[in-house]
Amino acid sequence: MRDFWSAPLSQWRRGEPPAEAAVAAAAPMDPRASLEYFAVLNRWLRENRVREDEGALMAQFDQIGVGPAREFDAAKLDDATRRGLEKAIANGHALLRAASQRPLDDVRNGWIFPLGLADYGHDYLMRANVVYGGYANRPEESTYAALMVDGNGELLSGAKRYRLHFTPATIRPPELSGR
């Protein structure tokens, strides 16, 4: 039995969950893995304001057909541009994998506190890396603390038991930069 459910008012009956709608089979889709990525990027750039200091960058995007002044259409690409954009997707995935391995600056007492995940500035690689993995709230909203090693510097393992001990001095939240 489901404890939580929602239904349109026309189907709502006290204590009775609505009938579950059949889910149509669909092929999985990941726009980051095809030229559809550039269509999504182009749509976003045309529908949203970009930073004023990104004019030169947007002009470069326009040159390859995805900038805010262009309408991207994969069907109209010449072979060389299509191959170049497909190669850019592969290179972008490799770059993101490599970037995810770089050490983080926000490490305290072995704990990782990535406080700048939503304050990207011009760090486009960090922004892409966060988006590739999902989403990140601002530091005022969420803490993404992580620990990779134990007190002896050994990688954490599910085969072992661990205990966290917080003293009053150690439960103080880390200082937010610029505050």
Side-chain angles (χ1 to χ4, degrees), residues 80-176:
T81 303
R82 175 180 297 279
R83 283 192 310 274
L85 292 178
E86 288 170 344
K87 184 69 173 170
I89 291 169
N91 289 347
H93 285 256
L95 182 62
L96 289 173
R97 281 191 302 276
S100 71
Q101 302 303 309
R102 69 180 177 176
L104 295 171
D105 298 332
D106 301 326
V107 179
R108 294 179 192 96
N109 199 22
W111 285 87
I112 302 166
F113 288 93
L115 296 176
L117 291 180
D119 296 320
Y120 310 110
H122 290 99
D123 191 342
Y124 303 112
L125 184 56
M126 184 204 308
R127 180 185 301 189
N129 218 355
V130 170
V131 170
Y132 192 74
Y135 178 80
N137 289 324
R138 297 187 55 75
E140 301 87 31
E141 299 169 328
S142 300
T143 299
Y144 300 100
L147 185 65
M148 304 299 286
V149 295
D150 65 17
N152 297 322
E154 295 183 27
L155 285 174
L156 296 177
S157 166
K160 296 181 181 179
R161 293 176 58 103
Y162 301 95
R163 177 178 293 167
L164 296 176
H165 177 75
F166 298 99
T167 65
T170 60
I171 60 173
R172 201 180 69 228
E175 296 295 320
L176 298 176

Side-chain angles (χ1 to χ4, degrees), residues 33-112:
S34 70
L35 292 179
E36 178 63 20
Y37 167 78
F38 293 104
V40 171
L41 173 62
N42 178 243
R43 190 168 43 253
W44 192 93
L45 290 173
R46 285 187 289 112
E47 295 174 359
N48 295 277
R49 256 187 21 200
V50 295
R51 296 169 60 135
E52 289 182 23
D53 61 350
E54 292 177 331
L57 179 62
M58 293 305 110
Q60 288 180 325
F61 284 8
D62 281 335
Q63 287 179 353
I64 62 168
V66 299
R70 301 292 296 270
E71 181 96 24
F72 182 79
D73 185 351
K76 293 181 181 178
L77 294 174
D78 61 69
D79 287 341
T81 303
R82 175 180 297 279
R83 283 192 310 274
L85 292 178
E86 288 170 344
K87 184 69 173 170
I89 291 169
N91 289 347
H93 285 256
L95 182 62
L96 289 173
R97 281 191 302 276
S100 71
Q101 302 303 309
R102 69 180 177 176
L104 295 171
D105 298 332
D106 301 326
V107 179
R108 294 179 192 96
N109 199 22
W111 285 87
I112 302 166

